[in-house]
Amino acid sequence: MRFSSRLPSSVSYASLERVAEELEHARSLFRRLGCLVVDVTDRAIEETAGIILDARKHRIQP
């Protein structure tokens, strides 16, 4: 599946405006899909994994 940008080709990919629009598009998609979003800033991989496993445990009941 290919996602196309809604920005004109004259906009630089690394511009602050482009990055902000890409982030908002991603946030909107994550909200629509109900995705878990984990802020991994200053977290060890083990802590991040624990958050994900806890979230799965609470969402998936056997």
Side-chain angles (χ1 to χ4, degrees), residues 2-62:
R2 188 181 188 303
F3 293 100
S4 64
S5 172
R6 293 161 283 154
L7 297 173
S9 60
S10 61
V11 175
S12 169
Y13 185 78
S15 73
L16 289 177
E17 294 83 13
R18 176 70 184 259
V19 171
E21 185 162 327
E22 293 284 334
L23 285 171
E24 182 50 41
H25 177 70
R27 288 182 185 114
S28 173
L29 180 63
F30 298 159
R31 279 190 301 272
R32 187 167 42 111
L33 296 174
C35 295
L36 170 66
V37 177
V38 179
D39 180 358
V40 299
T41 307
D42 297 325
R43 291 190 198 276
I45 189 71
E46 297 84 0
E47 184 180 3
T48 302
I51 292 168
I52 294 167
L53 290 173
D54 284 345
R56 284 184 44 91
K57 191 184 314 178
H58 289 93
R59 292 183 87 190
I60 301 171
Q61 301 292 327

